[in-house]
Amino acid sequence: MNIDFKHIQSAHCENGVTTNLLRFHGYDFITEPLAFGLGSGLFYIHIPFISISNGPAVSFRTMPGAIFKRTCKSLGIPVEHKKFSDAAKAKQYLDNQIEIGNPVGCQVGVFNLTYFPVEYRFHFNAHNLIVYGKDGDSYSISDPVMETVTSLTEEELQRVRFAKGAFAPKGHVYYPVNIPKPNIELLRKGIVKGIKRNTRDMLYVPGGIAGVKGIKFTANQIRKWPTKLGDRRAALYMGQIIRMQEEIGTGGGGFRFIYAAFLEQAAQHLQMDKLMHSSDDFTRAGDLWRAAAVEMAGVYKNRLVGQEAYDKIADMLVEISETEKMAFTKLSKIKF
Amino acid sequence: MKKSEVPQDKSSLANVTREVCYAKEDEGCYNTALSTGWSIKAEALENAWTEIDRLTEEARKEVVAGTKSPVYYFMQRKLMDIALLAAYTGFWKITVRRHFKPSVFEKLSEKKLAIYADVFEISVQELKNFRG
């Protein structure tokens, strides 16, 4: 059975699943930037004692699952989550949901996603997609980062739903339930709440590895890389930061620009021009991140080597940290 | 980022998809735009694969030299580490590490070989007879 489902492509998977599921249930006002902002999606963290594919573990967004959960909560929509130890039961559950016409969000591993080019497949388990139909052995898939809908066979979907390792999905499915009528007043409240929570997370999270302080932490690490790691590994680490920052499925889509777009939409919904100025601040932050990526690319292409190159990149990250700190401080002073 | 700055470089996503970017229209509001890729990203990805290929090639040489078993080689080829291979096979990490020893690997039961072969998506024969 195939559900009449409208696929809208998005820059980031979890934003996309949230937007698409809510729009399916009649929340026409939801856009990707709104989902990201209501979910307080913008973040930064550098976890020094973990490494991913032998490189630094940094994230430019909040933890997986939080965007969907918070966005639904602020709109007063209850959500259902299920994880499974038994793959057969997980499949049965999913089939039942599709049978009753309910598209569901699925957490999956990227490594065996057959419609992705091989070069993009890494062991990353917090990718999200929507299953909205089934025809014989073939599931209809709406993967938000893809331009069009795709499909996976039963076996392929089982493989990615039961990928192993960090963030193992364990067949995780989620969807909104008992959906109330869309309420624009709740949206306005949710925008304010989302901004406040995001401000708190970026400015006041304790410790030195997260929020705006986390960006400085990375800057300081980068300065040490050439002597600590040697040229080759330091260059690999640089590449990893760019991939986390920009790559499909993991970092993705210039979160700073999405946040700037969110503030623009927030300005309209709340009729507050001040938010437009804040939007510009985040555009600037996004542009700085891109400029830093260009500089980092110089390192791993061996055009730039030596301590100076690393210092320059570190200085750029310090500037980004200051920019985002200023941007969030301004936001925190707005009286809603 | 302005809409006119959205990169349209070559990437391996060609013929698969384009990516959504948020960028500003000239008159000042954000909108979405589609990008075929960004050379900066594409090179970072390429670099990561060069490293993976290097590690895989090193693993292959170790199998040829008789210091590591095929399990080690295929683990690298599948971009796994010991923890991940342990999670996929259900073996303890220490057990997986033992299976890297050619002498231990030679004595593995068909059942255990089948578990590895399934994870590596190859046949038991391929796994058993891999000599580098």
Side-chain angles (χ1 to χ4, degrees), chain A residues 9 119 123 264 283 300, chain B residues 17-18 22 30 40 49 78:
Chain A
Q9 194 191 4
E119 297 94 317
H123 293 283
E264 256 182 28
T283 301
Y300 64 70
Chain B
T17 190
R18 287 175 292 173
Y22 282 79
Y30 267 93
I40 302 289
W49 275 96
K78 280 281 175 192

Side-chain angles (χ1 to χ4, degrees), chain A residues 211-227:
Chain A
V212 295
K213 284 181 284 182
I215 305 172
K216 271 193 185 154
F217 177 84
T218 304
N220 289 331
Q221 295 289 308
I222 287 175
R223 280 183 220 283
K224 294 180 204 157
W225 284 353
T227 43

Side-chain angles (χ1 to χ4, degrees), chain A residues 96-336:
Chain A
N96 287 346
Q97 289 302 318
I98 293 164
E99 197 53 47
I100 60 169
N102 188 28
V104 295
C106 277
Q107 185 192 338
V108 296
V110 173
F111 192 76
N112 282 302
L113 275 182
T114 41
Y115 53 77
F116 273 4
V118 173
E119 297 94 317
Y120 279 85
R121 299 198 217 153
F122 288 90
H123 293 283
F124 173 72
N125 286 336
H127 188 58
N128 295 276
L129 49 78
I130 296 169
V131 182
Y132 68 93
K134 193 177 182 190
D135 191 4
D137 177 36
S138 170
Y139 286 98
S140 311
I141 306 287
S142 158
D143 186 321
V145 302
M146 301 291 284
E147 267 183 278
T148 54
V149 292
T150 50
S151 64
L152 290 172
T153 65
E154 281 188 355
E155 198 196 323
E156 285 167 344
L157 185 61
Q158 285 295 78
R159 242 184 209 273
V160 294
R161 289 181 73 198
F162 284 89
K164 299 288 195 323
F167 297 118
K170 298 193 174 88
H172 186 194
V173 287
Y174 55 91
Y175 50 89
V177 285
N178 303 327
I179 298 118
K181 261 173 80 183
N183 179 339
I184 202 87
E185 196 44 47
L186 280 182
L187 174 70
R188 290 197 192 99
K189 278 187 187 150
I191 289 171
V192 174
K193 195 173 164 197
I195 291 175
K196 285 188 171 160
R197 183 169 43 207
N198 224 150
T199 310
R200 182 201 68 196
D201 288 352
M202 281 299 278
L203 294 180
Y204 305 117
V205 64
I209 59 162
V212 295
K213 284 181 284 182
I215 305 172
K216 271 193 185 154
F217 177 84
T218 304
N220 289 331
Q221 295 289 308
I222 287 175
R223 280 183 220 283
K224 294 180 204 157
W225 284 353
T227 43
K228 207 170 121 190
L229 307 167
D231 287 341
R232 193 178 57 82
R233 275 190 69 205
L236 281 171
Y237 272 38
M238 278 287 151
Q240 169 119 332
I241 301 250
I242 297 187
R243 282 183 46 229
M244 292 295 193
Q245 184 180 325
E246 302 287 344
E247 205 56 83
I248 196 168
T250 51
F255 289 123
R256 273 63 194 163
F257 296 128
I258 303 179
Y259 204 73
F262 159 67
L263 289 173
E264 256 182 28
Q265 295 182 13
Q268 282 176 9
H269 282 293
L270 299 176
Q271 293 295 313
M272 288 179 80
D273 283 346
K274 272 184 190 166
L275 290 174
M276 289 300 259
H277 297 299
S278 280
S279 171
D280 290 339
D281 294 338
F282 285 95
T283 301
R284 204 166 98 76
D287 286 335
L288 286 171
W289 275 113
R290 281 176 70 81
V294 172
E295 206 63 35
M296 290 183 210
V299 166
Y300 64 70
K301 286 196 297 194
N302 286 322
R303 280 190 281 105
L304 306 164
V305 278
Q307 187 62 41
E308 267 171 51
Y310 288 87
D311 281 339
K312 187 174 177 199
I313 292 160
D315 291 342
M316 290 175 97
L317 291 200
V318 171
E319 191 190 348
I320 294 170
S321 171
E322 296 293 338
T323 305
E324 294 195 359
K325 188 177 176 183
M326 191 259 316
F328 276 110
T329 308
K330 259 202 230 168
L331 269 182
S332 73
K333 287 188 177 140
I334 292 178
K335 294 218 162 41
F336 290 102

Side-chain angles (χ1 to χ4, degrees), chain B residues 97-115:
Chain B
R97 212 172 270 129
R98 260 173 57 75
H99 295 166
F100 291 165
K101 280 191 190 169
S103 56
V104 177
F105 177 76
E106 290 303 322
K107 292 183 199 126
L108 281 185
S109 67
E110 287 287 316
K111 206 174 140 195
K112 283 180 181 164
L113 287 172
I115 292 173

Side-chain angles (χ1 to χ4, degrees), chain B residues 87-100:
Chain B
Y88 268 103
T89 54
F91 299 134
W92 296 95
K93 277 197 269 184
I94 192 164
T95 312
V96 170
R97 212 172 270 129
R98 260 173 57 75
H99 295 166
F100 291 165

